[in-house]
C-alpha cells in the first residue's frame, strides 16, 4: 500500500506528464520536464532558457542537440557542438549556446 502522500505525488506526476505531453515537443524539453521523475522539481524560467538553447542549436547546425531516440541524452544534457562550428560562428555565439544549454 502507498501512503497518501506518495499516492498524491504519483497523481501530480501523471498530471504534469500529461500536461507537458500535450504542450511540448519531447526533443525540446529541458531535463526537468523530459524525465517524469523530475517533474516534481520546480519548473522555472530556466526551462525556457534551455529550450531556447535547443532551438538555437537546431538553427545553427540544422540538427537537434539530442538524438530523437535518446531521452537520457536530454535528461543528462549531453550534446556535442560540431568540430568545425568555430569556422562558421563567433566565439561569442558558441559561448551563448553553451550558456543556454548549461545544465543548471
Amino acid at each position: 500500500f502507498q501512503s497518501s502522500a506518495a499516492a498524491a505525488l504519483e497523481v501530480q506526476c501523471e498530471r504534469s506528464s500529461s500536461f507537458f505531453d500535450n504542450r511540448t515537443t519531447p526533443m525540446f524539453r529541458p531535463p526537468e520536464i523530459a524525465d517524469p521523475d523530475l517533474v516534481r522539481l520546480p519548473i522555472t524560467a530556466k526551462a525556457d532558457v534551455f529550450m531556447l538553447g535547443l532551438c538555437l542549436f537546431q538553427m545553427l547546425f540544422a540538427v537537434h542537440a539530442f538524438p530523437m531516440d535518446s531521452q537520457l541524452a536530454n535528461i543528462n544534457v549531453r550534446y556535442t557542438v560540431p568540430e568545425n562550428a568555430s569556422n562558421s560562428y563567433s566565439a561569442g555565439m558558441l559561448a551563448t549556446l553553451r550558456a543556454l544549454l548549461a545544465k543548471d
Side-chain angles (χ1 to χ4, degrees):
F1 290 90
Q2 288 183 326
S3 70
S4 60
L9 180 60
E10 186 174 324
V11 168
Q12 179 185 1
C13 286
E14 287 175 16
R15 285 183 185 157
S16 296
S17 181
S18 176
F19 177 85
F20 292 116
D21 285 347
N22 293 325
R23 290 171 178 82
T24 63
T25 302
M27 289 177 60
F28 289 93
R29 291 179 187 162
E32 58 267 51
I33 296 174
D35 184 353
D37 291 331
L38 296 177
V39 168
R40 62 183 162 237
L41 297 175
I43 298 169
T44 65
K46 290 180 181 182
D48 295 325
V49 170
F50 186 85
M51 289 186 279
L52 179 61
L54 292 175
C55 292
L56 180 60
F57 192 100
Q58 180 107 21
M59 289 187 295
L60 294 176
F61 307 119
V63 295
H64 196 273
F66 309 116
M68 182 68 157
D69 60 343
S70 179
Q71 185 179 18
L72 280 178
N74 193 335
I75 293 167
N76 294 318
V77 191
R78 281 192 228 135
Y79 65 93
T80 303
V81 172
E83 288 181 26
N84 61 349
S86 60
N87 296 338
S88 301
Y89 303 106
S90 69
M93 176 63 76
L94 296 175
T96 299
L97 176 66
R98 287 185 179 95
L100 291 171
L101 292 177
K103 190 168 186 174
D104 293 322

